[in-house]
Amino acid sequence: MGGPHGGPFLLFHVLCFLLTLSEVGSQNSKACALPCPPNSSCVNGTACRCAPGFISFSGEIFTDPLESCDDINECGPPSPVDCGSSADCQNTEGGYYCTCSPGYEPVSGAMIFRNESENTCRDVDECSSGQHQCHNSTVCFNTVGSYTCHCREGWEPKHGLKNKQKDTICKEISFPAWTAPPGIKSRSLSAFFERVQKMSRDFKPAMAKKSMQDLVGSVDDLLKNSGDLESLDQSSKHVTVTHLLSGLEQILRTLAKAMPKGSFTYRSLDNTELSLVVQEQGKGNVTVGQSHARMLLDWAVAAAAEESGPTVVGILSSQNMKKLLANASLKLDSEKLKETYKSPVRGAKVTLLSAVSSVFLSNTNTEKLDSNVSFAFALHEQPELKPRQELICAFWKKDSNGNGSWATTGCWKMGRGNGSITCQCSHLSSFAILMAHYDVEDPKLALITKVGLALSLACLLLCILTFLLVRPIQGSRTTVHLHLCICLFVGSAIFLAGIENEGGEVGTRCRLVAVLLHYCFLAAFCWMSLEGVELYFLVVRVFQGQGLRKLWLCLIGYGVPLIIVGISAGAYSKGYGREKFCWLNFEGGFLWSFVGPVTFIVLGNAIIFVITVWKLTQKFSEINPDIKKLKKARVLTITAIAQLFVLGCTWVFGLLLFDPESWVLSYIFSILNCLQGFFLFVLYCLLNKKVREEYRKWACMVAGNKYSEFATTTSGSGSSHNQTQALRPSESGM
């Protein structure tokens, strides 16, 4: 083994091994000549391969030395890894892993897995496990994979926060502040709001149902035993009812949020009904109602935009509210009504036929709804509609001053049947069914009235100038005629300028017009009664007597009506002025402050005229009667009777007109009223010979025609006038 040939043989093998290593090293040095980027390895002398989980722009193998191997996102498109339900894929550098989504945990305990088959994730109940972060004013509700914090029953989210969020913080629902309307002085109203304040102090969310019942009962007591509310003026009543309706909606909406979910209906002893539904917002329609009214609307309309709590839908119907709504005005759609009646409509008298129903929702933005709301209102009366009358769906509209009125914009009637009216509205408020009696203007009648009254005023003015300037007819009876025409002139001028109450509200202007008309027309009748007194002195007592002195005539003619008007205004000032006309109100028998004195005067004059005619008949039957005096007395009597007939007939129709049911009465009154001045001008001026002579004289002077016979006639006339004046200054020369 250790022979001479052993050493060389071993050296040969060593040399062969070293030569082999040298060749291999030479080959490797030749294969890695291309520098490969990170996350890759050499394939040969010209190519590199990206490591698993990485890829280059050219693919797994690339030859461009400028390319790089980038991480593959196994969790993203185009072919994401499927970790299974309730799990999330997490990408890593050169790989990935799966974990359970937040709110879930693995049953197996392995927090990391590779695919769906290894997925054992299940929901974590944060509420029962105590892992939630809900505020102590809320209740934790577990959801799939998470949880929400809900306000407790009788609580609501604090301002600026939402319900059913993880950061929700709630506060206990409180009774909203509600105070009396400013500027309204009423003991009944003050006592009501004192009770409301006590309810507010004692309120607990658990007592929400009882609080609503007590509130409805208090409102009933206020309206049923209204006390001094009835004595408020119309504007104050409407301010009060507007304040009550808006306040009730706000309070009932708030208290309903403290109610348990479900439906609730309450009917008071005075037949006021409250119905509401409280539940999570649903889909489709919801119906709420009671015996007075029913409402159908979409849940989406009822829900508030920014609230996630229960949705409230309610309706309160009260029959007693009509006490404060008496004589409320109605805002008309003038253009539509003009098309219907082919003539302008100046106003309407309305009658309330249903309970007043106030709607309240969680949604407070109800001026323009996304979908219409349907109503069915029960009628308490079944009226027979007459011409110019219709049933309308109306709502109470608040103005900027806190007042209100009925309006119809955005509401329309759909049908009538089974004792109810169906309506649709594009907004919400307080609704009712009204019977409207429209005051349709007749252009022909208006023209007749204006032209006729202008003619009457011109004739009365001529009469006044005649009685003042024509000396031959001066006397006590001329004084009576003068002041009669003055009263009629002033009264007719006021009538023409201010009889219509365009605004519908009885204000100071309308009351003043009514007072002046009352006084002027009473004074006219008083002066007409003095005509009868003068005739009585002339014919019955002394036949040639001078009658009353001028001072006594003025005291009676202007003093008596002043006393009547003063007593009437002091006793009941609200009796002056009506919705459509500035005249005496029919309520409470106030019209008798005019009708009573007028009736007394007309009957008194009629008795005097009967006695006068009887006396004249006796004197005509005497052996040697004074025919000339008797004929003059007869003419005066006939004139006075004719005057009484015209004025009396005019006001018989006039008293009927102020609540017209027929166009015939309106035309008759307008024609007679316009003929008053013309009739008196003809009766006292044109039929009077002395007045005609004066007119002729004035006409000739204006025309410059001064003939000799004119002077002769004037001279003769003057002589006759002196004789007549010496005989009887009170005669009219007719």
Side-chain angles (χ1 to χ4, degrees):
M1 293 286 301
H5 296 285
F9 182 78
L10 179 61
L11 179 62
F12 174 77
H13 282 284
V14 169
L15 290 174
C16 288
F17 177 75
L18 291 175
L19 181 62
T20 302
L21 290 177
S22 174
E23 289 179 355
V24 171
S26 174
Q27 291 178 356
N28 288 339
S29 174
K30 184 178 180 180
C32 295
L34 177 67
C36 292
N39 302 318
S40 66
S41 60
C42 294
V43 176
N44 52 43
T46 61
C48 297
R49 182 191 304 272
C50 289
F54 297 88
I55 195 166
S56 70
F57 179 78
S58 301
E60 181 182 357
I61 300 175
F62 59 93
T63 59
D64 188 349
L66 300 180
E67 288 194 48
S68 62
C69 291
D70 300 321
D71 176 52
I72 298 174
N73 185 6
E74 292 86 354
C75 299
S79 301
V81 174
D82 185 8
C83 292
S85 62
S86 307
D88 300 321
C89 176
Q90 303 292 332
N91 185 59
T92 62
E93 185 79 10
Y96 74 94
Y97 63 90
C98 297
T99 61
C100 292
S101 301
Y104 295 85
E105 61 183 3
V107 176
S108 63
M111 305 303 295
I112 297 176
F113 51 94
R114 298 285 297 177
N115 51 51
E116 182 180 8
S117 62
E118 300 176 8
N119 185 342
T120 60
C121 297
R122 68 177 180 183
D123 176 55
V124 177
D125 188 348
E126 294 89 350
C127 298
S128 60
S129 64
Q131 300 178 26
H132 67 85
Q133 296 181 355
C134 288
H135 191 265
N136 56 13
S137 63
T138 63
V139 177
C140 178
F141 276 79
N142 184 62
T143 61
V144 177
S146 185
Y147 66 94
T148 56
C149 305
H150 295 208
C151 289
R152 300 177 184 274
E153 189 174 286
W155 293 61
E156 61 182 356
K158 285 189 174 182
H159 182 70
L161 298 177
K162 293 183 179 181
N163 195 13
K164 301 180 182 179
Q165 306 294 318
K166 290 186 177 181
D167 60 349
T168 298
I169 300 177
C170 304
K171 63 178 181 179
E172 196 172 30
I173 292 177
S174 59
F175 198 99
W178 195 21
T179 57
I184 306 298
K185 296 182 179 179
S186 166
R187 292 184 178 179
S188 301
L189 202 60
S190 299
F192 168 76
F193 279 102
E194 286 177 4
R195 291 196 297 271
V196 172
Q197 298 307 318
K198 186 178 185 303
M199 291 182 200
S200 177
R201 291 191 298 269
D202 299 340
F203 176 74
K204 298 294 182 184
M207 302 167 55
K209 179 178 179 180
K210 183 178 183 303
S211 296
M212 285 193 285
Q213 294 175 345
D214 292 342
L215 181 62
V216 171
S218 296
V219 173
D220 283 343
D221 292 340
L222 172 66
L223 299 176
K224 183 174 63 174
N225 307 311
S226 51
D228 53 359
L229 282 180
E230 295 290 338
S231 61
L232 294 176
D233 59 80
Q234 183 171 312
S235 177
S236 297
K237 286 182 180 179
H238 296 166
V239 169
T240 301
V241 76
T242 302
H243 191 76
L244 287 175
L245 291 174
S246 60
L248 284 171
E249 290 178 19
Q250 179 186 2
I251 290 178
L252 292 175
R253 179 189 299 112
T254 302
L255 299 189
K257 295 177 182 178
M259 292 278 291
K261 296 182 180 65
S263 301
F264 169 67
T265 299
Y266 171 69
R267 182 171 185 172
S268 71
L269 297 176
D270 293 302
N271 205 25
T272 298
E273 293 188 79
L274 170 64
S275 296
L276 57 88
V277 175
V278 182
Q279 69 175 60
E280 298 296 333
Q281 180 182 349
K283 294 182 179 180
N285 296 327
V286 57
T287 301
V288 181
Q290 6 85 352
S291 62
H292 295 305
R294 298 185 66 81
M295 175 176 63
L296 174 68
L297 75 162
D298 193 329
W299 270 115
V301 170
E306 299 297 328
E307 291 188 13
S308 54
T311 299
V312 174
V313 180
I315 182 169
L316 174 70
S317 300
S318 172
Q319 289 181 296
N320 296 324
M321 200 68 71
K322 68 174 66 175
K323 292 184 178 181
L324 296 179
L325 293 171
N327 301 321
S329 60
L330 171 65
K331 292 187 177 182
L332 304 173
D333 188 347
S334 301
E335 294 300 324
K336 182 179 179 181
L337 291 172
K338 186 176 181 180
E339 293 178 4
T340 303
Y341 292 99
K342 310 302 180 184
S343 188
V345 177
R346 295 179 297 182
K349 180 181 179 181
V350 297
T351 303
L352 194 59
L353 299 180
S354 71
V356 178
S357 299
S358 297
V359 178
F360 55 95
L361 309 175
S362 293
N363 180 17
T364 57
N365 186 20
T366 58
E367 293 183 359
K368 180 62 178 177
L369 302 177
D370 294 333
S371 61
N372 296 331
V373 179
S374 298
F375 295 95
F377 298 101
L379 297 179
H380 300 148
E381 301 178 30
Q382 301 293 330
E384 293 292 335
L385 296 181
K386 298 179 181 178
R388 295 180 288 155
Q389 290 183 344
E390 69 169 330
L391 299 182
I392 58 176
C393 303
F395 67 96
W396 189 252
K397 184 176 182 180
K398 180 181 179 180
D399 61 23
S400 57
N401 298 322
N403 206 327
S405 60
W406 293 113
T408 58
T409 305
C411 289
W412 53 93
K413 185 176 68 174
M414 300 296 293
R416 176 182 180 183
N418 299 324
S420 65
I421 297 291
T422 304
C423 307
Q424 274 196 352
C425 295
S426 60
H427 57 81
L428 293 179
S429 178
S430 296
F431 301 91
I433 299 298
L434 307 178
M435 182 177 70
H437 186 172
Y438 297 116
D439 178 20
V440 182
E441 180 180 346
D442 186 349
K444 296 179 182 178
L445 182 61
L447 180 63
I448 290 173
T449 301
K450 292 178 181 178
V451 173
L453 278 179
L455 174 63
S456 180
L457 287 171
C459 292
L460 289 171
L461 182 60
L462 287 175
C463 289
I464 293 170
L465 294 175
T466 299
F467 297 147
L468 289 173
L469 300 177
V470 178
R471 294 184 178 277
I473 63 171
Q474 296 301 314
S476 59
R477 296 192 71 250
T478 301
T479 300
V480 172
H481 296 159
L482 170 64
H483 290 283
L484 171 62
C485 291
I486 290 175
C487 292
L488 288 176
F489 179 85
V490 175
S492 298
I494 296 173
F495 185 95
L496 180 62
I499 186 64
E500 293 183 357
N501 187 16
E502 296 180 356
E505 293 289 335
V506 182
T508 304
R509 185 203 70 85
C510 188
R511 294 192 194 280
L512 180 60
V513 169
V515 169
L516 292 176
L517 288 176
H518 189 195
Y519 178 76
C520 289
F521 291 130
L522 268 184
F525 274 95
C526 282
W527 283 104
M528 188 179 70
S529 70
L530 291 174
E531 173 92 2
V533 173
E534 286 290 308
L535 191 62
Y536 177 80
F537 277 107
L538 173 67
V539 177
V540 178
R541 293 196 60 181
V542 292
F543 197 78
Q544 71 273 7
Q546 301 299 317
L548 295 174
R549 296 176 59 184
K550 185 175 181 179
L551 177 61
W552 282 105
L553 290 175
C554 291
L555 286 176
I556 296 174
Y558 291 115
V560 171
L562 182 62
I563 293 172
I564 295 174
V565 172
I567 294 174
S568 301
Y572 188 57
S573 60
K574 295 180 181 178
Y576 289 101
R578 302 190 62 198
E579 293 179 18
K580 294 187 288 184
F581 300 106
C582 296
W583 181 236
L584 307 186
N585 204 323
F586 287 1
E587 295 180 0
F590 189 75
L591 188 63
W592 282 101
S593 62
F594 179 77
V595 175
V598 168
T599 303
F600 178 78
I601 291 171
V602 171
L603 292 178
N605 272 19
I607 293 172
I608 290 176
F609 294 153
V610 170
I611 295 174
T612 300
V613 173
W614 176 56
K615 286 292 184 181
L616 285 175
T617 304
Q618 286 183 333
K619 291 184 181 295
F620 271 108
S621 63
E622 291 178 355
I623 298 175
N624 294 314
D626 189 341
I627 299 299
K628 183 178 180 181
K629 292 181 180 179
L630 288 174
K631 286 184 177 180
K632 289 183 179 180
R634 182 176 62 183
V635 170
L636 296 177
T637 303
I638 294 173
T639 303
I641 293 174
Q643 169 188 289
L644 176 65
F645 178 77
V646 171
L647 292 179
C649 287
T650 299
W651 280 100
V652 166
F653 287 103
L655 293 175
L656 295 174
L657 171 71
F658 289 113
D659 196 16
E661 292 290 342
S662 170
W663 292 113
V664 177
L665 294 178
S666 300
Y667 275 96
I668 292 176
F669 173 77
S670 297
I671 293 172
L672 290 177
N673 194 34
C674 296
L675 288 178
Q676 283 187 38
F678 178 75
F679 174 79
L680 294 179
F681 177 67
V682 171
L683 195 64
Y684 292 142
C685 297
L686 296 184
L687 295 181
N688 190 311
K689 182 179 179 181
K690 294 179 180 180
V691 174
R692 290 200 306 271
E693 289 174 354
E694 288 293 317
Y695 285 168
R696 192 179 296 113
K697 175 182 175 181
W698 294 347
C700 291
M701 290 177 62
V702 172
N705 190 4
K706 300 179 180 179
Y707 297 117
S708 59
E709 54 235 84
F710 173 77
T712 304
T713 304
T714 305
S715 175
S717 172
S719 175
S720 174
H721 162 65
N722 293 334
Q723 294 175 4
T724 305
Q725 282 290 93
L727 178 64
R728 188 177 309 283
S730 64
E731 293 181 4
S732 65
M734 187 169 291

PDB file of all heavy atoms in Angstrom, residues 167 181 259 273 455-456 491 519 604-605 621:
ATOM      1  N   ASP A 167     -71.486  56.452  18.914  1.00  0.00           N
ATOM      2  CA  ASP A 167     -71.163  57.586  19.775  1.00  0.00           C
ATOM      3  C   ASP A 167     -72.406  58.324  20.266  1.00  0.00           C
ATOM      4  O   ASP A 167     -72.332  59.472  20.697  1.00  0.00           O
ATOM      5  CB  ASP A 167     -70.247  58.567  19.035  1.00  0.00           C
ATOM      6  CG  ASP A 167     -70.893  59.110  17.766  1.00  0.00           C
ATOM      7  OD1 ASP A 167     -71.960  58.571  17.362  1.00  0.00           O
ATOM      8  OD2 ASP A 167     -70.345  60.066  17.180  1.00  0.00           O
ATOM      9  N   PRO A 181     -99.690  83.609  24.227  1.00  0.00           N
ATOM     10  CA  PRO A 181     -99.317  84.506  23.120  1.00  0.00           C
ATOM     11  C   PRO A 181     -99.156  85.934  23.626  1.00  0.00           C
ATOM     12  O   PRO A 181     -99.964  86.405  24.428  1.00  0.00           O
ATOM     13  CB  PRO A 181    -100.491  84.372  22.141  1.00  0.00           C
ATOM     14  CG  PRO A 181    -101.633  83.888  22.973  1.00  0.00           C
ATOM     15  CD  PRO A 181    -101.034  83.045  24.043  1.00  0.00           C
ATOM     16  N   MET A 259     -93.621  57.732  23.984  1.00  0.00           N
ATOM     17  CA  MET A 259     -94.609  56.639  24.058  1.00  0.00           C
ATOM     18  C   MET A 259     -93.984  55.335  23.569  1.00  0.00           C
ATOM     19  O   MET A 259     -93.095  55.341  22.707  1.00  0.00           O
ATOM     20  CB  MET A 259     -95.811  56.994  23.189  1.00  0.00           C
ATOM     21  CG  MET A 259     -96.636  58.156  23.700  1.00  0.00           C
ATOM     22  SD  MET A 259     -97.782  57.644  24.981  1.00  0.00           S
ATOM     23  CE  MET A 259     -98.907  56.650  24.028  1.00  0.00           C
ATOM     24  N   GLU A 273    -110.680  64.090  19.753  1.00  0.00           N
ATOM     25  CA  GLU A 273    -110.027  62.802  19.536  1.00  0.00           C
ATOM     26  C   GLU A 273    -108.565  62.989  19.144  1.00  0.00           C
ATOM     27  O   GLU A 273    -108.226  63.854  18.327  1.00  0.00           O
ATOM     28  CB  GLU A 273    -110.751  62.010  18.450  1.00  0.00           C
ATOM     29  CG  GLU A 273    -112.149  61.568  18.874  1.00  0.00           C
ATOM     30  CD  GLU A 273    -112.774  60.626  17.864  1.00  0.00           C
ATOM     31  OE1 GLU A 273    -112.414  59.435  17.869  1.00  0.00           O
ATOM     32  OE2 GLU A 273    -113.602  61.095  17.074  1.00  0.00           O
ATOM     33  N   LEU A 455    -125.048 110.553  -9.647  1.00  0.00           N
ATOM     34  CA  LEU A 455    -126.180 111.389 -10.061  1.00  0.00           C
ATOM     35  C   LEU A 455    -126.964 111.871  -8.853  1.00  0.00           C
ATOM     36  O   LEU A 455    -127.369 113.045  -8.780  1.00  0.00           O
ATOM     37  CB  LEU A 455    -127.090 110.581 -11.001  1.00  0.00           C
ATOM     38  CG  LEU A 455    -128.402 111.258 -11.420  1.00  0.00           C
ATOM     39  CD1 LEU A 455    -128.118 112.524 -12.224  1.00  0.00           C
ATOM     40  CD2 LEU A 455    -129.272 110.287 -12.224  1.00  0.00           C
ATOM     41  N   SER A 456    -127.174 110.972  -7.865  1.00  0.00           N
ATOM     42  CA  SER A 456    -127.913 111.343  -6.665  1.00  0.00           C
ATOM     43  C   SER A 456    -127.176 112.422  -5.880  1.00  0.00           C
ATOM     44  O   SER A 456    -127.788 113.379  -5.393  1.00  0.00           O
ATOM     45  CB  SER A 456    -128.123 110.099  -5.797  1.00  0.00           C
ATOM     46  OG  SER A 456    -128.844 110.419  -4.624  1.00  0.00           O
ATOM     47  N   GLY A 491    -124.189 111.107   3.901  1.00  0.00           N
ATOM     48  CA  GLY A 491    -124.335 109.656   4.031  1.00  0.00           C
ATOM     49  C   GLY A 491    -124.077 108.930   2.721  1.00  0.00           C
ATOM     50  O   GLY A 491    -123.391 107.904   2.695  1.00  0.00           O
ATOM     51  N   TYR A 519    -125.122 107.381  11.893  1.00  0.00           N
ATOM     52  CA  TYR A 519    -125.533 108.723  12.318  1.00  0.00           C
ATOM     53  C   TYR A 519    -126.213 109.494  11.184  1.00  0.00           C
ATOM     54  O   TYR A 519    -127.278 110.094  11.381  1.00  0.00           O
ATOM     55  CB  TYR A 519    -124.313 109.498  12.810  1.00  0.00           C
ATOM     56  CG  TYR A 519    -124.642 110.919  13.214  1.00  0.00           C
ATOM     57  CD1 TYR A 519    -125.290 111.187  14.416  1.00  0.00           C
ATOM     58  CD2 TYR A 519    -124.328 111.985  12.379  1.00  0.00           C
ATOM     59  CE1 TYR A 519    -125.613 112.483  14.777  1.00  0.00           C
ATOM     60  CE2 TYR A 519    -124.642 113.286  12.726  1.00  0.00           C
ATOM     61  CZ  TYR A 519    -125.290 113.533  13.926  1.00  0.00           C
ATOM     62  OH  TYR A 519    -125.622 114.821  14.279  1.00  0.00           O
ATOM     63  N   GLY A 604    -144.711 106.959  13.299  1.00  0.00           N
ATOM     64  CA  GLY A 604    -145.165 108.262  13.774  1.00  0.00           C
ATOM     65  C   GLY A 604    -145.588 109.162  12.641  1.00  0.00           C
ATOM     66  O   GLY A 604    -146.641 109.832  12.700  1.00  0.00           O
ATOM     67  N   ASN A 605    -144.772 109.206  11.590  1.00  0.00           N
ATOM     68  CA  ASN A 605    -145.139 110.025  10.430  1.00  0.00           C
ATOM     69  C   ASN A 605    -146.404 109.509   9.761  1.00  0.00           C
ATOM     70  O   ASN A 605    -147.240 110.295   9.299  1.00  0.00           O
ATOM     71  CB  ASN A 605    -143.991 110.038   9.423  1.00  0.00           C
ATOM     72  CG  ASN A 605    -142.997 111.144   9.714  1.00  0.00           C
ATOM     73  OD1 ASN A 605    -142.962 111.665  10.823  1.00  0.00           O
ATOM     74  ND2 ASN A 605    -142.186 111.509   8.727  1.00  0.00           N
ATOM     75  N   SER A 621    -164.823 120.126   3.821  1.00  0.00           N
ATOM     76  CA  SER A 621    -166.287 119.977   3.926  1.00  0.00           C
ATOM     77  C   SER A 621    -166.948 121.137   4.676  1.00  0.00           C
ATOM     78  O   SER A 621    -168.163 121.138   4.865  1.00  0.00           O
ATOM     79  CB  SER A 621    -166.609 118.651   4.627  1.00  0.00           C
ATOM     80  OG  SER A 621    -166.114 118.657   5.954  1.00  0.00           O
TER      81      SER A 621
END
